[in-house]
Structure formats: C-alpha cells, structure tokens
Amino acid sequence: MEMSPSHKKNLVRLLAILLTFTVINGTMFNVTIPDIAESFNLMPSQVSWVMTGYILVYAIGSVMYGKLADVIPLKRLLTIGIVLFSFGSILGFLSPNYTTLLIARILQALGGAAIPALGFIIPSRYFTHDRGKVFGIISSTVAFASGVGPIAGGLIGGFLDWRFLFLVPASAALAIPLFRRWLPDEEVRSQKIDYFGAILVAIFVASLLLFVTMLIWSLLLISIIAFALLVFHINRVDSPFIDPVLLKNRRYTITIFTSFLGTSVMFGLIFVLPIMMRDLYDATTLGIGLLLFPGAMAAGIFGRFGGTLIDKKGSIYVLRIALLLVAIGVFFISVFTSSSLFLLGSAVFIAYIGFPLLQSATANLLSHMLTKEETGVGMGLFNLCNFISGAFSSAIFGSILDLEGMTFSINPLNAHGDHAIYSNLYLVLSIIAVFALFMFFAFYNRSKKA
C-alpha cells in the first residue's frame, strides 16, 4: 500500500517527536544519578545500573526489533514498543523502591528500543525519492535531543524531583492511534525465526557491554565463546538470525565500521567534555549543558539540510564532509583545551554539526545496499554498533582519565600542564576520525575504479 504525501509528512513529524522522547530519556537521567542514590541510600555501583541496565537492554532490543521487522508488521511492533515504553515510564514515576525503579527502566528500554530501530527502517521501506531528507531529519533529531537531555534533566530534577522525569516519556502513548492510522497495513510474513541465534546475539552483546563497563575478564571470555558459536550456527541453518551473506558484503561492513569509528569519536567527545569542564572550569551541570546546547541546535538545523544534500549529492559525498567536520572539531577542542570558553564552544559546535550528517549519510547508504529481506537486521546491526561504540568510548576514555600526573601535551599547538590529558584525548579522537575518513575514501575509490 502506497502512503499519501500528507501521511508521509505526518509520519516523519511523529517519528521525530518520539525519537526526541526516547533519546532524552536515555540522557536526562545522567544528571540525576546522585539524587536517585540519595533517595534509596544506594552505593555508586548500585545506582549505576539505572543507566547500565537501560543501555544494555536498549542495545540488544535495537537489533531484535530490526530482525522482527522482517517478519511482523511495523504497526504492531511500534504499538507494542510504545506501550512498554509508556508503562515503564509510569511505573518509574510511582516507584517506591530501587527494585521497582530498575524494572521500570528495563521496561522503558524494552519498548523504547523499538522507536529508533524502526525509525530507521520506515524510511527504507516507504520513502524512495526523498529518503535522504527523512534520514537527515531523524539523525538531526537524535543529535538535538542528546544535547537537550542533560539540560532537561537538570531543570526538571532541580525544580521538581527526579521522578517527574518519567512523565516526559510516558506521554509517548498518545502517539499510538496516530501511528496506527498513518502506517500502512502489512501482511504477517511467514518466516521461521532463529530463536537460538537470537539468544546467542543477546548473550554476545550483553557480555561484551558488561565487560566494557565492568572490566570483568570472564565476561569477555563469555562474549568470545558466544560470538564463535554464533558464527558457527548462522553458517549451518537455513534461516539464520543474521544472514552471513550480509556480513560478507564488504561495502556493508566497511560502511558500518566507518560509522562505528565516527560515532565513537562523538560519544568520546560527549563523555569527556563534562568531566573536563568540571575539572578545568569548575562548571555546573547547567553550564555544561549550555555549552553543548548551541551545537545541538546547529545539529538539528544542519542535519535537515544534510538530508536534502544527500538526495542531491549522494551519501558518500556527505559522509566525507561529516567525518571531516568531526575531525576538525575535535582537533580544535584539543588545541583550545584550557583556553577561552568561546573558542572551545566553537570547536564543539563544528564537531556537533558533523554528527547528524554522519548518521543520516550512513543510514541512507546502507538502505540502498540492503535488499528488502536484509533491511530489518541490517539497520538493526547499524543501531547496535552505535551503542557498542558509545560503550567502548566511555569505558576506554574513562580508564585513561583515571591516570594522574599527565602534564605532557602531544599536541604541538597546546602547552603542557594539568589540562594535557584532555588535550591528548581529543587529539587521539581527531586521529580516529581522520583514519575513518581515509579508510572510507580509499575503499570507495577502489570500488569506483573497479
């Protein structure tokens, strides 16, 4: 069934609003972790599961919903996801103890994972000529919401109470009748679901993310074993959870790996910046949010322009620009560390513009190289890699920041001093972005000549 232009416009607007709710829900709780710990008298290791548990379930759910979208109609999956997301939000608002709060966050993640996962599949399935523009709107919404989240969390948690944060995502239930009206009806496709493969994927992702965040080596061993069993399994069943043909597609794997590197740079920027601002500038939570806010606003504006540019110039062209902007932005953050806040904010602004362009160009490129049967799990793996890149960035750079006494700056444009560790980290991030740019450029140049 072909969607009418008005239904398409309404659907994109609704997707953008729902994505804002889910992304904000993932970031605004960061600033209220101390308040939650105080409410339930929790140790830091306990309260951290408010975020860790959410991210863990959310990451696994992103690839699961992607695969289910190849079998179950999107309308039904979105309805289930939004119901779980809203119910978990109401339960969180009413939570009388820590156990109920954790259950609420897990329910939120189980439902919320459907929205970005299916949000990237809907344009691939129903938008043909202006697909890049739609991906640009979705990606710019994600970038904008990630910058607004900490500010919203600080304001609501500061003036009211952390429980009131749950009322924001609870309102997502209002979108259910609209989605059911605007999304076309689809037939249930008869396809055998590889449940054992799905379990192996869940074990692999969960153990890998837990190892990265907790550094328990037995979890790494479990992750390696699960991955080995998964590879063995998918090559020996008729309808595997992840088709090995997809993973053998070099264009797909190179594009995914490029996105992984670029996204890890952005997550590294967002993770390190608040710590640096508090350490070097003694900035408040609101001050840190205000430094990020102009970049988030610019990402929202330029991301939509980038989507139009993708439709005109192509995904490869925009992806190169995105990686270049990210590399330049984080390099100048390295240069201006401990310098004026205006120069630092300008560098953050440049890097933030590249983020939605990177996401939308990658999503559009992937959507054109995937067959209809591969779209669900292919876009699901794209979302999963984004989460894993964030976990790796936070864990690796968090461990480096634990080192004390580093005063030598490897950036020749920055002086030595106590700020050197931050300058060095951002220089490394810029090198990663440049490496991703040259790897992507070299591969697609060879492909073009071939």
Side-chain angles (χ1 to χ4, degrees):
M1 177 181 173
E2 181 66 25
M3 294 173 62
S4 67
S6 62
H7 277 190
K8 285 185 177 182
K9 289 181 181 179
N10 291 333
L11 186 59
V12 171
R13 292 192 189 104
L14 194 58
L15 268 176
I17 294 170
L18 277 177
L19 276 168
T20 302
F21 283 146
T22 54
V23 175
I24 283 180
N25 184 67
T27 58
M28 66 182 175
F29 280 91
N30 288 351
V31 297
T32 60
I33 288 295
D35 298 329
I36 295 173
E38 186 178 344
S39 296
F40 298 120
N41 195 24
L42 302 171
M43 299 289 291
S45 59
Q46 292 174 301
V47 74
S48 66
W49 279 96
V50 172
M51 296 305 302
T52 304
Y54 182 87
I55 293 171
L56 193 64
V57 177
Y58 201 86
I60 296 171
S62 65
V63 70
M64 296 301 173
Y65 277 111
K67 180 61 179 179
L68 290 173
D70 293 332
V71 183
I72 301 173
L74 297 183
K75 185 183 291 188
R76 187 182 305 174
L77 282 178
L78 270 172
T79 303
I80 294 169
I82 296 171
V83 167
L84 286 171
F85 185 59
S86 299
F87 179 73
S89 302
I90 295 170
L91 185 64
F93 177 70
L94 301 173
S95 55
N97 51 52
Y98 179 58
T99 302
T100 308
L101 177 64
L102 275 185
I103 293 172
R105 288 291 280 170
I106 289 170
L107 285 173
Q108 274 192 320
L110 278 172
I115 297 169
L118 304 181
F120 279 100
I121 293 173
I122 287 172
S124 303
R125 190 168 291 181
Y126 297 118
F127 293 79
T128 306
H129 304 296
D130 51 355
R131 188 182 298 174
K133 182 180 179 181
V134 178
F135 278 130
I137 293 172
I138 291 172
S139 300
S140 61
T141 300
V142 172
F144 171 74
S146 66
V148 172
I151 298 176
L155 291 173
I156 296 172
F159 286 103
L160 297 171
D161 182 75
W162 61 264
R163 284 183 174 83
F164 284 86
L165 297 179
F166 282 103
L167 294 183
V168 177
S171 57
L174 299 174
I176 291 176
L178 297 176
F179 260 123
R180 296 192 66 82
R181 176 184 174 189
W182 292 329
L183 267 177
D185 291 318
E186 296 175 310
E187 294 181 2
V188 177
R189 289 172 285 280
S190 57
Q191 181 179 333
K192 183 180 177 182
I193 298 177
D194 178 17
Y195 293 105
F196 184 64
I199 292 170
L200 288 175
V201 170
I203 293 172
F204 164 66
V205 174
S207 55
L208 180 62
L209 289 176
L210 286 173
F211 164 72
V212 169
T213 55
M214 302 169 67
L215 287 180
I216 299 175
W217 291 97
S218 58
L219 291 170
L220 178 61
L221 179 62
I222 293 171
S223 178
I224 293 171
I225 293 172
F227 181 75
L229 288 173
L230 178 65
V231 172
F232 179 81
H233 173 74
I234 63 176
N235 282 286
R236 280 161 178 78
V237 294
D238 294 331
S239 301
F241 188 80
I242 299 174
D243 192 339
V245 174
L246 180 64
L247 301 179
K248 291 173 184 176
N249 182 339
R250 287 197 67 198
R251 291 182 69 225
Y252 177 81
T253 53
I254 288 290
T255 305
I256 284 285
F257 187 54
T258 302
S259 175
F260 176 89
L261 292 175
T263 306
S264 68
V265 172
M266 288 305 303
F267 275 114
L269 183 159
I270 295 169
F271 176 77
V272 175
L273 190 69
I275 300 172
M276 183 183 79
M277 292 295 294
R278 185 67 55 88
D279 186 25
L280 300 183
Y281 299 92
D282 198 26
T284 63
T285 301
L286 183 59
I288 295 167
L290 290 174
L291 183 75
L292 291 171
F293 187 69
M297 285 291 293
I301 296 169
F302 283 93
R304 299 189 177 205
F305 166 74
T308 305
L309 190 63
I310 288 170
D311 289 328
K312 291 181 178 179
K313 294 283 189 177
S315 304
I316 296 174
Y317 176 83
V318 175
L319 190 52
R320 290 170 180 169
I321 293 175
L323 288 170
L324 189 62
L325 285 170
V326 171
I328 291 171
V330 291
F331 174 75
F332 279 110
I333 295 175
S334 173
V335 172
F336 297 134
T337 301
S338 81
S339 185
S340 73
L341 285 175
F342 174 76
L343 293 174
L344 188 64
S346 300
V348 172
F349 185 89
I350 294 171
Y352 243 103
I353 292 174
F355 184 51
L357 299 181
L358 172 67
Q359 292 283 294
S360 55
T362 305
N364 192 60
L365 189 60
L366 292 174
S367 71
H368 281 91
M369 70 176 67
L370 296 170
T371 65
K372 186 178 181 181
E373 293 74 22
E374 296 171 335
T375 299
V377 72
M379 299 305 287
L381 288 173
F382 164 63
N383 281 303
L384 177 62
C385 284
N386 287 340
F387 285 109
I388 293 177
S389 69
F392 268 91
S393 288
S394 302
I396 293 170
F397 291 114
S399 298
I400 294 173
L401 288 174
D402 288 340
L403 300 175
E404 296 181 357
M406 183 182 292
T407 58
F408 181 80
S409 175
I410 59 176
N411 188 334
L413 300 179
N414 202 325
H416 305 307
D418 293 336
H419 62 276
I421 188 169
Y422 299 106
S423 176
N424 294 342
L425 283 176
Y426 279 110
L427 184 63
V428 169
L429 287 174
S430 68
I431 293 170
I432 293 172
V434 170
F435 171 75
L437 175 62
F438 276 99
M439 179 191 68
F440 180 80
F441 184 82
F443 175 79
Y444 275 91
N445 262 12
R446 283 201 306 270
S447 299
K448 188 177 180 181
K449 290 177 182 177

